[in-house]
Amino acid sequence: MKNLNRKAEARRAAAGMESRADTLVIVESKHGSALKYGEWISNTLHTDMIPATRKYLGYASLYRNVIYIGWIKDGRIEKLNLLQQNYVNFNMDGKHIAVIGVGVGNPTDSYLKRIIAYNALDQFGDSFHYLPGAVDEKKRKAGDMNNIQHCLKNLGKLYEKEDAELIGERLVKGYDGISRNKIESIVDEITAVRNNTYRKDEPEEDGEDE
């Protein structure tokens, strides 16, 4: 992952903002959908950004706002548990925490409720956003199909039938739902937090309409 923080500091200076960022984007991805969204959000909000590894996660303690972005695999937002387990160690109490799950399902009520439940998001964070990701069937490596087959076996246990069938189809045939305009609600949210006008509401459904 590129270190965007030096460039982010320059962008903040150009925008007349304080040199030190108030918001940190944490991304569980070295490439792909989550990283692309993370870069767009970081560039738009002039934030710092780090990978979701044990080596760097502790930096979350230094920021007022934390945005976590991870791919949804087997119902779990990858590595979010590391942040949850270190809530006290990372001094997360009192921070504004936004969680973003990136996947290939449609944002139906049943699908979003399962994601919220599996990741205990009703007890963690100030908001949850779902963003549509991508699966490029043309760039698969040898071990990718094994991972997909594993996911396909579990889909029926994790989701409602229609949700499971759609996700399975997109994992096999490929799918691209990525769009920069999907980040608008999270950008609006952090902007409102910075302006002290944010009001906690229901989970945000930023994904593709049914």
Side-chain angles (χ1 to χ4, degrees):
M1 175 179 288
K2 297 178 181 177
N3 181 354
L4 302 182
N5 298 338
R6 188 173 300 173
K7 292 182 179 179
E9 184 174 345
R11 289 196 301 272
R12 287 193 293 273
M17 302 171 67
E18 293 185 9
S19 60
R20 180 174 176 178
D22 64 353
T23 303
L24 178 67
V25 174
I26 302 174
V27 182
E28 193 339 82
S29 179
K30 293 181 179 178
H31 51 77
S33 310
L35 178 59
K36 183 170 290 187
Y37 279 126
E39 290 176 343
W40 284 338
I41 292 169
S42 182
N43 289 341
T44 302
L45 291 170
H46 308 300
T47 77
D48 287 345
M49 188 170 82
I50 61 169
T53 64
R54 294 180 185 276
K55 180 178 180 181
Y56 295 107
L57 276 177
Y59 285 104
S61 64
L62 303 175
Y63 296 80
R64 174 189 174 194
N65 312 310
V66 175
I67 302 170
Y68 187 94
I69 309 174
W71 182 259
I72 298 170
K73 181 179 179 182
D74 292 340
R76 308 285 181 183
I77 299 174
E78 292 194 297
K79 293 189 180 180
L80 177 62
N81 63 313
L82 294 179
L83 197 62
Q84 293 169 319
Q85 292 167 2
N86 287 281
Y87 186 89
V88 175
N89 294 337
F90 295 163
N91 193 30
M92 301 299 289
D93 191 37
K95 299 182 185 301
H96 184 88
I97 305 171
V99 177
I100 299 173
V102 182
V104 294
N106 275 353
T108 61
D109 286 343
S110 57
Y111 178 63
L112 294 178
K113 285 179 180 177
R114 294 293 177 95
I115 300 303
I116 289 170
Y118 291 146
N119 295 277
L121 295 176
D122 54 342
Q123 303 172 17
F124 179 82
D126 295 280
S127 68
F128 168 60
H129 300 252
Y130 174 76
L131 299 178
V135 174
D136 190 344
E137 77 282 8
K138 297 178 181 179
K139 294 184 178 180
R140 287 187 182 136
K141 298 178 182 178
D144 289 344
M145 278 309 300
N146 291 333
N147 292 330
I148 290 175
Q149 290 299 327
H150 169 78
C151 291
L152 293 176
K153 290 179 181 178
N154 291 328
L155 288 176
K157 302 175 185 177
L158 295 170
Y159 308 114
E160 298 289 339
K161 183 180 178 181
E162 290 185 3
D163 295 329
E165 289 178 348
L166 178 64
I167 294 169
E169 179 181 342
R170 288 175 173 177
L171 287 174
V172 172
K173 296 183 179 180
Y175 172 73
D176 187 355
I178 297 176
S179 173
R180 183 162 188 152
N181 64 19
K182 298 295 184 182
I183 71 171
E184 289 180 1
S185 65
I186 184 65
V187 169
D188 289 345
E189 177 182 326
I190 298 302
T191 300
V193 171
R194 287 171 169 172
N195 294 333
N196 296 314
T197 59
Y198 174 75
R199 297 291 181 269
K200 189 171 182 178
D201 204 347
E202 295 300 316
E204 297 286 349
E205 300 177 12
D206 303 319
E208 176 184 298
D209 294 333
E210 291 182 74

